[in-house]
Amino acid sequence: MADETKEPTGGTPGDSPRRPPDESRRSFLKVSGAAVGGVVAGGVIGGLIGNAIGRKNKPQQGGGGGAAPAPAKDFNQALMFFTQDQFRIAEAAAERIFPKDDLGPGAKELGVAYFIDHQMAGQYGMNGKDYMMGPFSKAEATQGYQASFKRHELITMGLEALNEYSQKKYSVNFPELKEDQQDEVLTAFEKGQGVLLKDVPGSLFFNLFRSLTIEGAYADPLYGGNKGMGGWKMKGYPGDQMAYIDKIEKDGFIKMDPASLHDHMGH
């Protein structure tokens, strides 16, 4: 019968009797394991911290001292109605009607083509508030627009006609023409010289497009044009001020920075 007072060896005969655990050895392994783990973890964490510090201290690539910051994105400058080709034609045509010069920015810089695009996508472009049913008869000059085409239909027909006219005469699309050639094409449309858009005079398209161009240059930036109130600044127009009560009794002309509807937010 085995002596239960002896600790089982668990080994083969001849093995040395198992010794009781050495507390000092266990403590050493526990401490050394933590130390090794600490070295590993410390190495990882230390590496992360080191890398973070390194990245923080490392100069930004391409940043350069004194480099101008990239301009902020204007998320309002996106197409709602035009195709990319129609937009390019509209942008080129608007720039010739409202060109950039020494006095200020042109239609392209003011985002006029975006304004027109946004208008065509809304009720104005779809004649949402107009009676558009027949019968249709020849209107008097004082009666304004009386055609059966909705505005967005007339504008898209006109833009495509600008390209077709340019192709026939110069074998390139309207945006690729030289400025004087673009002016010549637009003048032909303005005078309605042999330009018909499904029996509608080309001048009808031109007059509507010119009005939209001017509106896009001077309307509140809320609508997509007049970027940075550049049109107003050029004209010295104060925009949409909250009040003039502190200025109305002053003598002389008062210059002030323009304000837009956006400036009223929070009041």
Side-chain angles (χ1 to χ4, degrees):
M1 187 172 180
D3 186 356
E4 293 182 355
T5 61
K6 291 183 179 179
E7 185 177 344
T9 62
T12 56
D15 286 348
S16 303
R18 190 170 181 178
R19 297 178 180 176
D22 186 344
E23 289 298 330
S24 62
R25 184 167 173 267
R26 280 190 177 183
S27 299
F28 169 76
L29 291 174
K30 190 183 293 183
V31 173
S32 63
V36 171
V39 169
V40 173
V44 173
I45 295 172
L48 291 174
I49 295 173
N51 288 338
I53 294 173
R55 284 196 299 272
K56 187 176 180 181
N57 295 332
K58 187 177 181 180
Q60 296 285 332
Q61 289 186 351
K73 287 183 179 179
D74 186 346
F75 294 100
N76 195 33
Q77 291 199 334
L79 299 183
M80 301 170 66
F81 179 79
F82 286 150
T83 64
Q84 294 283 346
D85 287 340
Q86 290 168 346
F87 176 78
R88 281 191 285 271
I89 303 168
E91 190 173 54
E95 179 66 18
R96 294 313 307 152
I97 293 171
F98 198 98
K100 180 178 181 178
D101 58 18
D102 295 337
L103 298 177
K108 183 176 182 179
E109 192 173 336
L110 292 171
V112 166
Y114 289 106
F115 167 85
I116 298 174
D117 170 79
H118 297 355
Q119 290 299 309
M120 294 302 101
Q123 284 202 25
Y124 177 81
M126 298 179 185
N127 292 73
K129 295 184 178 180
D130 299 330
Y131 179 79
M132 296 298 293
M133 304 295 288
F136 300 100
S137 57
K138 186 176 181 180
E140 299 295 332
T142 55
Q143 291 181 306
Y145 181 78
Q146 297 291 322
S148 61
F149 294 108
K150 295 177 180 177
R151 293 186 185 93
H152 71 83
E153 294 172 327
L154 185 59
I155 288 297
T156 52
M157 282 194 305
L159 294 176
E160 291 166 5
L162 284 176
N163 254 5
E164 292 171 4
Y165 190 98
S166 303
Q167 279 286 350
K168 285 181 181 176
K169 191 162 185 177
Y170 300 104
S171 301
V172 294
N173 288 331
F174 182 82
E176 282 75 51
L177 292 177
K178 296 178 181 177
E179 291 182 353
D180 58 334
Q181 293 172 330
Q182 290 177 335
D183 291 347
E184 188 176 328
V185 173
L186 289 171
T187 301
F189 276 68
E190 180 181 15
K191 296 181 178 178
Q193 295 174 336
V195 181
L196 287 176
L197 315 174
K198 296 182 179 179
D199 297 329
V200 176
S203 57
L204 201 58
F205 156 74
F206 179 85
N207 290 334
L208 176 58
F209 190 83
R210 179 177 57 186
S211 295
L212 286 166
T213 298
I214 296 171
E215 290 168 13
Y218 295 121
D220 192 281
L222 165 71
Y223 300 102
N226 191 16
K227 186 174 176 61
M229 297 184 284
W232 290 350
K233 291 175 183 175
M234 183 168 46
K235 299 287 286 184
Y237 179 65
D240 193 44
Q241 303 285 332
M242 288 291 285
Y244 297 94
I245 194 167
D246 58 333
K247 303 179 180 66
I248 196 167
E249 293 186 356
K250 291 183 178 178
D251 296 329
F253 183 78
I254 300 174
K255 290 185 178 180
M256 63 185 77
D257 293 331
S260 72
L261 292 172
H262 175 78
D263 295 312
H264 301 331
M265 296 295 294
H267 289 280

